[in-house]
Amino acid sequence: LVNRFQFVADHQRRYGVKRLCTILNIARSSFYYWRRTAANRAARQAADARLATRIQVAHRESDGTYGVPRITAELRETGKRVNHKRAARVMRSIGLAGVRTLL
Protein backbone atom coordinates (compact mmCIF):
# COMPACT_ATOMS: atom_id res chain seq x y z
CA LEU A 1 0.00 0.00 0.00
CA VAL A 2 1.55 3.27 -1.13
CA ASN A 3 0.29 6.51 0.32
CA ARG A 4 -0.26 9.57 -1.84
CA PHE A 5 2.89 11.31 -0.65
CA GLN A 6 5.04 8.30 -1.50
CA PHE A 7 3.42 8.19 -4.94
CA VAL A 8 4.39 11.83 -5.52
CA ALA A 9 7.95 11.12 -4.35
CA ASP A 10 8.21 8.13 -6.68
CA HIS A 11 6.95 10.00 -9.77
CA GLN A 12 8.09 13.59 -9.20
CA ARG A 13 11.00 13.41 -11.68
CA ARG A 14 8.73 12.49 -14.55
CA TYR A 15 5.63 14.58 -13.82
CA GLY A 16 6.66 17.23 -11.29
CA VAL A 17 5.47 17.80 -7.75
CA LYS A 18 3.03 20.58 -8.61
CA ARG A 19 1.15 18.54 -11.22
CA LEU A 20 1.00 15.38 -9.10
CA CYS A 21 -0.21 17.26 -6.02
CA THR A 22 -2.92 18.95 -8.06
CA ILE A 23 -4.11 15.65 -9.54
CA LEU A 24 -4.06 13.88 -6.16
CA ASN A 25 -5.69 16.86 -4.45
CA ILE A 26 -3.01 17.34 -1.80
CA ALA A 27 -1.23 20.52 -0.79
CA ARG A 28 2.38 20.83 -1.92
CA SER A 29 3.31 22.06 1.54
CA SER A 30 1.93 18.82 2.99
CA PHE A 31 4.09 16.78 0.64
CA TYR A 32 7.22 18.73 1.56
CA TYR A 33 6.37 18.42 5.27
CA TRP A 34 5.97 14.65 4.83
CA ARG A 35 9.34 14.45 3.10
CA ARG A 36 11.06 16.64 5.72
CA THR A 37 9.78 14.53 8.65
CA ALA A 38 10.59 11.12 7.16
CA ALA A 39 13.61 10.60 9.43
CA ASN A 40 11.58 11.36 12.55
CA ARG A 41 8.87 8.90 11.51
CA ALA A 42 11.45 6.18 10.88
CA ALA A 43 13.03 6.78 14.30
CA ARG A 44 9.62 6.64 15.99
CA GLN A 45 8.77 3.37 14.21
CA ALA A 46 12.07 1.85 15.35
CA ALA A 47 11.44 2.99 18.93
CA ASP A 48 7.92 1.53 18.79
CA ALA A 49 9.34 -1.78 17.53
CA ARG A 50 11.74 -1.90 20.50
CA LEU A 51 8.89 -1.04 22.85
CA ALA A 52 6.75 -3.77 21.26
CA THR A 53 9.32 -6.42 22.17
CA ARG A 54 9.40 -5.21 25.79
CA ILE A 55 5.60 -5.22 25.90
CA GLN A 56 5.46 -8.75 24.49
CA VAL A 57 7.85 -9.96 27.19
CA ALA A 58 5.81 -8.33 29.98
CA HIS A 59 2.56 -9.66 28.48
CA ARG A 60 3.99 -13.18 28.19
CA GLU A 61 5.26 -13.09 31.80
CA SER A 62 1.74 -12.24 32.97
CA ASP A 63 0.40 -15.25 31.06
CA GLY A 64 -1.42 -12.87 28.75
CA THR A 65 -3.52 -11.30 31.46
CA TYR A 66 -2.04 -7.80 31.75
CA GLY A 67 -3.74 -4.98 29.90
CA VAL A 68 -2.56 -1.47 29.17
CA PRO A 69 -2.52 -0.10 32.75
CA ARG A 70 -0.50 -2.97 34.18
CA ILE A 71 1.84 -3.17 31.17
CA THR A 72 2.48 0.57 31.52
CA ALA A 73 3.19 0.13 35.23
CA GLU A 74 5.58 -2.77 34.49
CA LEU A 75 7.48 -0.70 31.94
CA ARG A 76 7.74 2.23 34.35
CA GLU A 77 9.06 -0.07 37.10
CA THR A 78 11.89 -1.14 34.79
CA GLY A 79 12.79 2.50 34.22
CA LYS A 80 11.13 2.97 30.83
CA ARG A 81 9.21 6.25 30.56
CA VAL A 82 6.09 5.47 28.58
CA ASN A 83 2.65 7.00 28.30
CA HIS A 84 -0.37 4.69 28.65
CA LYS A 85 -1.73 5.91 25.31
CA ARG A 86 1.47 4.93 23.52
CA ALA A 87 1.47 1.53 25.23
CA ALA A 88 -2.15 1.05 24.13
CA ARG A 89 -1.33 1.99 20.52
CA VAL A 90 1.64 -0.38 20.36
CA MET A 91 -0.34 -3.20 21.99
CA ARG A 92 -3.15 -2.70 19.46
CA SER A 93 -0.69 -2.75 16.58
CA ILE A 94 0.76 -6.12 17.65
CA GLY A 95 -2.60 -7.61 18.56
CA LEU A 96 -2.24 -7.86 22.34
CA ALA A 97 -4.97 -7.24 24.89
CA GLY A 98 -5.49 -7.97 28.55
CA VAL A 99 -7.97 -10.48 29.90
CA ARG A 100 -11.37 -9.04 30.73
CA THR A 101 -13.47 -10.74 33.38
CA LEU A 102 -17.19 -11.04 32.88
CA LEU A 103 -19.37 -9.87 35.73
Side-chain angles (χ1 to χ4, degrees), residues 52-88:
T53 58
R54 293 177 83 167
I55 287 175
Q56 285 174 326
V57 168
H59 194 260
R60 196 176 312 116
E61 287 175 354
S62 74
D63 295 324
T65 58
Y66 281 7
V68 173
R70 286 183 178 167
I71 292 289
T72 304
E74 286 285 322
L75 293 171
R76 287 178 180 165
E77 284 177 14
T78 62
K80 177 73 174 160
R81 287 183 53 192
V82 63
N83 185 299
H84 69 281
K85 294 177 186 177
R86 183 175 181 209

Side-chain angles (χ1 to χ4, degrees), residues 9-63:
D10 292 344
H11 297 90
Q12 69 180 7
R13 284 182 171 267
R14 185 167 186 183
Y15 300 107
V17 173
K18 183 176 181 178
R19 178 185 287 172
L20 288 168
C21 287
T22 302
I23 291 169
L24 295 173
N25 198 25
I26 58 175
R28 272 187 287 162
S29 60
S30 297
F31 167 72
Y32 289 118
Y33 176 81
W34 173 84
R35 196 166 71 177
R36 189 175 66 245
T37 58
N40 293 343
R41 275 193 313 281
R44 194 174 321 115
Q45 287 173 344
D48 282 352
R50 289 191 300 274
L51 181 61
T53 58
R54 293 177 83 167
I55 287 175
Q56 285 174 326
V57 168
H59 194 260
R60 196 176 312 116
E61 287 175 354
S62 74
D63 295 324

Side-chain angles (χ1 to χ4, degrees), residues 86-101:
R86 183 175 181 209
R89 178 176 47 81
V90 172
M91 285 181 69
R92 248 190 335 270
S93 72
I94 58 177
L96 293 181
V99 174
R100 295 185 188 104
T101 56

